[in-house]
Amino acid sequence: KQRLLWANPALVRLNGCSSANQLRELMGENPGIWYVQPGRWDEFMALLERLGRLEGFESEVQLHITAERRWIVESARRVVDPSSGEFYIEGTIQDITARKRAEAQLLSEKTLLEGVIQTSPNPIFLRSAAGKMVLVNPALLATSHQTPEEFFSRTGPTHPNNPAEFAQWFENDRIMLERGEVMTFEEQLTLLSGEVKVYSTIKAPFKRDDGEVMVLGISSDVTELRRGEAWLRRIEQAVESVSDSILIFERGKLVFAN
């Protein structure tokens, strides 16, 4: 028979019981009744039988009185009574619910962030100070017409067609890292077709857990905006060169005069 023989006050309180006797009665002859995952108690016993002791055995449990679900980590060992040959299990239980919830929250936030990066229409990258790409999103890969394997192995088409662009990108990286602050740069990218794209790129220092500081970049395609601005400048220059007076009214209000 498997029965709880003794429990300290902390385990009694964890289960919402008023005494160890009450906890013992609730468990009956099934100490593993509180495990949420079916077969978890059998797994616990099998490992203990094979190894003789356990460390760091994490499980989700349902408390006996409140039915609240919590996470615990157990350490246990087999103890054999030499006179009777019976074996007992003694160990400790630690409530790790707060840690597990924090881990779940971090995982949720990580998944959300990865989703944002993957679906963003803006090219996003993480690059080392030496220029090695660590992370790129689909929007950036689309500008190079490469698969992730081709991009990181450099077996596919290479960019840029204009080597001077590379030098400018890395110089901007260096300036940002040297200042240690978020900066915005306007950078060009020559596509395989020969078309030149203009990007406004926000670059920020990104510190990894090992202390390495990398370049996090988010780019916006401003090519059409710059083309529009250039077109307006040409129109303005053409208008200024006309000797006759030109007046433009909108709804009776003068909006332009050369």
Side-chain angles (χ1 to χ4, degrees):
K1 294 181 180 181
Q2 298 172 344
R3 291 186 60 85
L4 177 68
L5 299 179
W6 181 86
N8 74 336
L11 182 58
V12 172
R13 287 193 301 271
L14 175 64
N15 281 277
C17 296
S18 58
S19 66
N21 285 334
Q22 183 185 19
L23 178 59
R24 189 179 301 113
E25 291 173 2
L26 289 170
M27 286 186 172
E29 295 184 1
N30 185 8
I33 194 173
W34 71 338
Y35 290 105
V36 172
Q37 180 183 333
R40 190 62 172 165
W41 173 250
D42 294 333
E43 183 180 352
F44 176 89
M45 292 299 293
L47 287 172
L48 196 59
E49 176 73 24
R50 180 162 58 89
L51 302 174
R53 65 186 307 121
L54 286 178
E55 298 287 344
F57 190 80
E58 296 185 4
S59 307
E60 187 179 19
V61 298
Q62 182 170 299
L63 305 185
H64 292 290
I65 297 295
T66 64
E68 177 189 1
R69 290 192 173 188
R70 309 283 293 182
W71 278 91
I72 62 169
V73 59
E74 297 176 271
S75 298
R77 65 169 184 164
R78 284 168 52 95
V79 179
V80 179
D81 185 341
S83 60
S84 64
E86 290 185 299
F87 79 88
Y88 303 86
I89 301 172
E90 62 179 22
T92 60
I93 294 174
Q94 181 183 356
D95 186 346
I96 57 170
T97 305
R99 192 197 82 194
K100 297 294 286 189
R101 288 175 178 170
E103 290 174 352
Q105 179 66 25
L106 286 174
L107 178 60
S108 176
E109 292 174 358
K110 180 175 180 290
T111 302
L112 176 62
L113 179 59
E114 288 176 348
V116 170
I117 292 173
Q118 291 300 310
T119 58
S120 172
N122 296 78
I124 299 174
F125 63 86
L126 185 63
R127 183 162 61 211
S128 72
K132 181 181 179 181
M133 283 293 196
V134 175
L135 177 148
V136 294
N137 72 333
L140 189 147
L141 291 174
T143 65
S144 62
H145 302 286
Q146 292 177 294
T147 65
E149 292 76 15
E150 289 173 334
F151 187 91
F152 288 106
S153 66
R154 300 189 181 276
T155 58
T158 57
H159 277 73
N161 288 337
N162 182 357
E165 292 173 353
F166 254 142
Q168 187 59 59
W169 299 349
F170 297 147
E171 175 62 14
N172 292 342
D173 290 357
R174 185 194 66 77
I175 293 171
M176 184 278 297
L177 290 173
E178 188 175 89
R179 294 188 181 183
E181 61 186 32
V182 179
M183 300 183 68
T184 301
F185 300 92
E186 197 158 285
E187 300 175 331
Q188 291 187 350
L189 169 65
T190 302
L191 304 182
L192 289 175
S193 63
E195 179 186 3
V196 177
K197 289 281 191 178
V198 182
Y199 288 93
S200 177
T201 301
I202 299 173
K203 297 186 176 182
F206 180 89
K207 190 172 183 179
R208 292 172 42 140
D209 291 340
D210 60 6
E212 180 182 3
V213 180
M214 310 189 81
V215 180
L216 174 63
I218 304 176
S219 300
S220 299
D221 187 346
V222 295
T223 307
E224 293 303 318
L225 175 62
R226 295 295 176 260
R227 287 174 180 169
E229 291 172 346
W231 180 81
L232 285 175
R233 284 194 297 271
R234 288 196 296 271
I235 294 296
E236 289 174 354
Q237 291 169 359
V239 170
E240 292 294 337
S241 66
V242 175
S243 58
D244 296 332
S245 298
I246 298 177
L247 302 176
I248 299 177
F249 291 86
E250 182 178 344
R251 296 179 181 178
K253 183 178 180 180
L254 179 65
V255 294
F256 176 83
N258 69 333

